Amino acid sequence: IFHPQTQHNIIHEEHCPEGNYAIIVCTVFSNTYTIVNIYGPNEDRPTFFHLIKERLDELPNENIIIGGDFNFVIDFKRDSNYCRQNNPRARDAFVQTIEEQGLIDVWREVNPGKQAYTWTKRNPHKFGRLDMFFISEHLLNYVASSAVRAGYRSDHSMISLHINTPQKKKGPGLWKFNESLLNDDSYDMLIEKLIVNIVTQYA
């Protein structure tokens, strides 16, 4: 994963016995990253992605990189020629996770109008972009390249992601509101009360 001259230290690592995911938390220079490798079950099993969400919640980190073979496509129309969505409940569970964690599909972000597929089947002819990287949105500033490349002795293509990790601690940045909080009734009540108090205080 790391260039030999890249300073890094592994803080935590784990994997599931079945081999469907591996997680490491590590420092690279002065920044901490959670890196997740996924081989999604080839069945509609949302509980697997609920587990990934639980692990990310228990290992809070603003720098997240998730990559692997998910066995579903995110964008049905642009990323496949399927007649129907495969593993839709698993896909929806993962989409909820990336929305809550503020993650983006980095290849799609870099190539908004392009089509490329990472898996093909000859008979019947079928293809889809099943292999993807998702990263914390602010890491997009450090992405040097994201590509789909030819595979070797596999029906999957290779995907690559090159990130130039910042070597200095970040200074003040752009704050972004987490919109999912608007679905939390207790949070809404707290904010409404706070607004009333501030208006009264500065009247």
Side-chain angles (χ1 to χ4, degrees):
I1 293 177
F2 300 106
H3 187 280
Q5 295 180 354
T6 301
Q7 301 172 15
H8 67 280
N9 180 47
I10 304 298
I11 300 171
H12 171 83
E13 61 179 302
E14 64 180 80
H15 60 86
C16 70
E18 296 79 17
N20 287 97
Y21 76 80
I23 300 174
I24 64 169
V25 180
C26 60
T27 57
V28 181
F29 296 108
S30 59
N31 297 282
T32 303
Y33 296 84
T34 298
I35 302 175
V36 185
N37 181 229
I38 287 179
Y39 175 59
N42 196 12
E43 57 188 58
D44 199 9
R45 182 149 47 107
T47 52
F48 172 78
F49 292 97
H50 292 156
L51 174 62
I52 297 298
K53 178 184 181 301
E54 290 174 7
R55 299 307 300 128
L56 290 174
D57 289 342
E58 292 170 4
L59 299 166
N61 191 349
E62 65 175 4
N63 300 314
I64 299 174
I65 302 171
I66 302 178
D69 174 5
F70 292 83
N71 269 312
F72 53 68
V73 297
I74 295 295
D75 190 325
F76 178 70
K77 292 183 178 179
R78 288 198 292 178
D79 291 335
S80 74
N81 73 333
Y82 299 168
C83 58
R84 60 182 177 84
Q85 177 71 267
N86 63 319
N87 302 331
R89 294 185 303 138
R91 175 212 175 264
D92 290 347
F94 182 68
V95 167
Q96 181 183 1
T97 297
I98 61 176
E99 288 177 351
E100 291 182 5
Q101 295 287 343
L103 307 179
I104 58 171
D105 177 351
V106 61
W107 186 88
R108 176 55 68 202
E109 197 73 22
V110 174
N111 303 280
K114 192 174 179 180
Q115 285 185 309
Y117 309 103
T118 65
W119 172 80
T120 57
K121 183 179 180 181
R122 291 188 176 182
N123 190 19
H125 190 51
K126 195 174 180 181
F127 47 80
R129 190 166 68 93
L130 307 181
D131 307 83
M132 297 166 279
F133 280 109
F134 296 88
I135 64 173
S136 299
E137 188 172 6
H138 64 270
L139 291 179
L140 188 62
N141 296 326
Y142 305 107
V143 171
S145 66
S146 176
V148 176
R149 306 179 186 279
Y152 175 66
R153 299 179 68 178
S154 172
D155 55 356
H156 284 258
S157 299
M158 182 180 74
I159 59 172
S160 64
L161 174 64
H162 180 187
I163 293 180
N164 292 319
T165 55
Q167 298 186 26
K168 296 181 180 179
K169 291 186 177 180
K170 293 189 299 182
L174 177 66
W175 178 82
K176 185 176 179 182
F177 177 69
N178 182 359
E179 294 181 1
S180 65
L181 290 172
L182 296 176
N183 298 320
D184 185 337
D185 293 337
S186 60
Y187 180 83
D188 288 347
M189 292 175 61
L190 178 65
I191 293 301
E192 288 173 4
K193 183 178 179 181
L194 183 62
I195 290 172
V196 171
N197 290 342
I198 290 176
V199 170
T200 302
Q201 181 181 352
Y202 291 97

